[in-house]
Amino acid sequence: MLKVTKFGGSSMADAGQYRKIRDIIQGDRGRRVVVVSAAGKREASDHKITDLLYLCYAHTQYGVDCDRIFEMITSRYLAIRDELGLKVDLETEFADLKKRLDAKAISQDALVSRGEYFSAKLMAAFLGFQFVDATEWVRFRFDGSVDQEASYALLKQCMKVKGVVTPGFYGLLPDGTIRTFSRGGSDITGALAAAALDADVYENWTDVSGILMADPRIVDDPMVIPQVTYDELRELSYSGAQVLHEGTIFPVREKNIPLNIRNTNDPAAPGTMIRERFNRDSDPNRFITGITGKKDFTIVHLSKRGMSNEVGVLRKVLSVMERHNISVDYAPNGIDSVSVVVPSEAIAPCLYTVLAEIQRDVRPDTLDVHDEIAVVAAVGRKMASRPGISGKIFAALGQADINIRMINQGPDELNIIIGVENRDFNTAIRVLYDSFAK
Ligand code: ASP
């Protein structure tokens, strides 16, 4: 059994968190590969080391001294080292780094990668595992994509030892320089390591006990989703939920490796398990996996008598949107009418031109615009086999006096999308959560 574990910034924030990680790693012999983030925030007002590193870089570019910020970075790592009683020489590395920074002899990517690097150095010493630098195995192409084949082969070669710690977030370009992923990219490193080693599971350790059924800023104490498929996860994140970045998922999904979101501060909680499909359902009576949504959409609605017999109307409307580079999220239609639902931000700068072009190309009988629309999505793989879900959704929203402006169900029956007024957004999410989660 091999488990690849990745610990995010808040899990790496101080010595106390390192101790929790050691207990987690020692609690399961399968946990032999550890991918770490830079130290994150210890509390809400704290700073992430990665942010401070970006700040240092910006200061030096403008010729402004960054000693104070640099000291904030180094003192965090020194405090962790000393509190854990580790013998790692960080001082020499810090001095060398500062010299390169002052001389403007370091790239932004190389500098910001140091957060993960120092985290991994300390964690390897603390766990008694081998430190394997990300530069030894993560290989980018010049276009920024990852050369999976080369990276996987290199990591496999490093796995001759009992346990390894490797930094997340960066790797090497073909010219030997350091390149980072986009922010939050240590998740991708973890997924690549899991895929490279054909791990049994990729454990992504963070500070919540899994993916929540609804946004906790809207719903009080929402339940954790115990099982979610990759397709559902994509629906949830597309519709607004803050879940894992797409890049995180593809290496493990490609190899059918389950991804388990876990909480470093509550290791007994099983978290959320993400996989292609589930043979055993942990919760057969729950038909909705999650409820999410986004605000600020605009609906352009047009009707034309006889539209159903006219060829190409929808294409003409979509072509107008395409010409203006507006991506259409939904296009529900009736016999003689069609609506397109687009992000307000995208259409606002060219709204009148778009309307004029639709008028010219389609000659509708009516053409109107509704903005301040929010989209609420109920997502669930089990909806397809279950009559009455949409009835329940509409009844619940009706009882709460919420006017529904649009209804759309994806052809794979994985979601039901409802358009409501922006001002009804939070209530709609709460009402749906209350009727499906309990
Ligand atoms: N430290 C990096 C960031 O803050 C990468 C990560 O933590 O995943 O974005």
Side-chain angles (χ1 to χ4, degrees):
M1 174 71 94
L2 175 68
K3 297 183 175 182
V4 169
T5 59
K6 179 258 164 181
F7 293 88
S10 57
S11 304
M12 299 294 297
D14 59 22
Q17 296 297 80
Y18 275 58
R19 290 195 188 96
K20 289 182 194 167
I21 293 178
R22 186 180 55 189
D23 292 345
I24 291 167
I25 298 299
Q26 290 178 348
D28 187 329
R29 293 163 67 100
R31 293 182 179 132
R32 283 179 283 126
V33 178
V34 181
V35 178
V36 294
S37 277
K41 295 184 183 191
R42 290 158 293 188
E43 75 267 317
S45 61
D46 200 8
H47 303 290
K48 292 183 179 183
I49 292 294
T50 311
D51 291 336
L52 297 177
L53 286 163
Y54 276 109
L55 213 53
C56 276
Y57 187 78
H59 274 66
T60 32
Q61 289 309 296
Y62 283 97
V64 179
D65 139 35
C66 68
D67 294 1
R68 171 83 194 91
I69 309 168
F70 195 79
E71 204 270 327
M72 286 164 81
I73 297 167
T74 54
S75 61
R76 284 282 292 281
Y77 286 110
L78 292 173
I80 295 173
R81 181 194 68 181
D82 295 343
E83 199 181 321
L84 298 176
L86 300 172
K87 304 253 167 311
V88 179
D89 175 18
L90 291 176
E91 285 84 349
T92 313
E93 300 218 41
F94 289 157
D96 180 52
L97 185 60
K98 186 67 175 36
K99 227 192 278 156
R100 288 168 65 201
L101 184 59
D102 289 340
K104 294 196 185 169
I106 187 165
S107 71
Q108 174 169 273
D109 279 15
L111 176 66
V112 302
S113 74
R114 296 305 83 187
E116 272 64 20
Y117 171 83
F118 293 124
S119 280
K121 278 265 157 132
L122 291 180
M123 187 54 81
F126 188 50
L127 296 175
F129 280 9
Q130 173 96 24
F131 168 78
V132 173
D133 200 343
T135 53
E136 289 175 52
W137 70 277
V138 178
R139 290 287 174 269
F140 286 100
R141 299 190 188 89
F142 276 121
D143 66 3
S145 63
V146 175
D147 181 343
Q148 284 170 258
E149 218 178 297
S151 306
Y152 292 0
L154 287 166
L155 185 61
K156 273 191 216 142
Q157 282 169 25
C158 301
M159 283 304 297
K160 309 259 173 328
V161 286
K162 82 168 178 359
V164 302
V165 178
T166 189
F169 192 40
Y170 67 97
L172 276 194
L173 282 166
D175 64 0
T177 56
I178 287 184
R179 151 132 204 166
T180 60
F181 289 103
S182 56
R183 294 300 304 268
S186 299
D187 285 337
I188 306 177
T189 311
L192 290 168
L197 303 173
D198 290 305
D200 295 282
V201 59
Y202 169 33
E203 292 182 341
N204 191 299
W205 291 82
T206 167
D207 54 7
V208 283
S209 294
I211 299 171
L212 301 172
M213 248 190 103
D215 186 338
R217 289 167 301 185
I218 302 177
V219 170
D220 286 336
D221 206 12
M223 288 187 347
V224 168
I225 303 173
Q227 298 179 324
V228 61
T229 64
Y230 284 113
D231 287 335
E232 287 176 302
L233 198 67
R234 177 148 166 69
E235 292 284 346
L236 285 168
S237 50
Y238 181 75
S239 311
Q242 298 286 327
V243 284
L244 295 165
H245 184 288
E246 189 132 53
T248 312
I249 291 174
F250 83 86
V252 279
R253 185 170 188 180
E254 232 170 41
K255 291 222 166 170
N256 207 7
I257 297 170
L259 197 169
N260 189 195
I261 312 277
R262 301 287 291 264
N263 187 352
T264 304
N265 305 317
D266 184 10
T272 298
M273 191 58 98
I274 308 163
R275 47 195 330 161
E276 208 58 57
R277 61 184 61 79
F278 291 93
N279 297 332
R280 265 204 17 246
D281 192 338
S282 68
D283 208 349
N285 296 321
R286 182 155 299 113
F287 293 93
I288 297 284
T289 304
I291 293 148
T292 182
K294 284 196 277 201
K295 282 185 170 172
D296 297 325
F297 284 89
T298 296
I299 302 183
V300 176
H301 175 259
L302 57 128
S303 68
K304 185 177 185 185
R305 221 167 309 128
M307 188 196 276
S308 54
N309 299 321
E310 193 178 322
V311 175
V313 173
L314 191 56
R315 179 187 53 76
K316 286 178 192 157
V317 177
L318 295 179
S319 299
V320 173
M321 298 297 169
E322 187 179 355
R323 271 203 297 279
H324 292 276
N325 204 20
I326 301 168
S327 120
V328 173
D329 282 69
Y330 311 100
N333 67 314
I335 298 176
D336 284 339
S337 68
V338 61
S339 296
V340 286
V341 184
V342 298
S344 303
E345 204 188 6
I347 199 169
C350 48
L351 179 64
Y352 294 109
T353 326
V354 165
L355 295 180
E357 289 179 17
I358 294 177
Q359 191 69 50
R360 182 195 66 202
D361 296 352
V362 183
R363 304 203 164 280
D365 297 327
T366 66
L367 176 60
D368 40 83
V369 177
H370 308 273
D371 53 14
E372 306 258 324
I373 296 291
V375 157
V376 174
V379 175
R381 63 188 180 279
K382 289 177 273 176
M383 282 193 310
S385 58
R386 175 88 181 171
I389 301 275
S390 43
K392 197 167 162 186
I393 291 177
F394 302 134
L397 294 175
Q399 261 160 30
D401 219 17
I402 293 173
N403 188 19
I404 298 177
R405 305 298 302 262
M406 182 218 24
I407 300 167
N408 192 74
Q409 178 165 39
D412 42 13
E413 291 188 56
L414 208 55
N415 63 19
I416 295 177
I417 307 276
I418 300 175
V420 300
E421 307 278 344
N422 267 349
R423 64 168 181 273
D424 289 332
F425 179 68
N426 286 10
T427 322
I429 299 257
R430 260 184 239 121
V431 162
L432 293 185
Y433 179 82
D434 288 342
S435 48
F436 285 103
K438 299 186 174 158

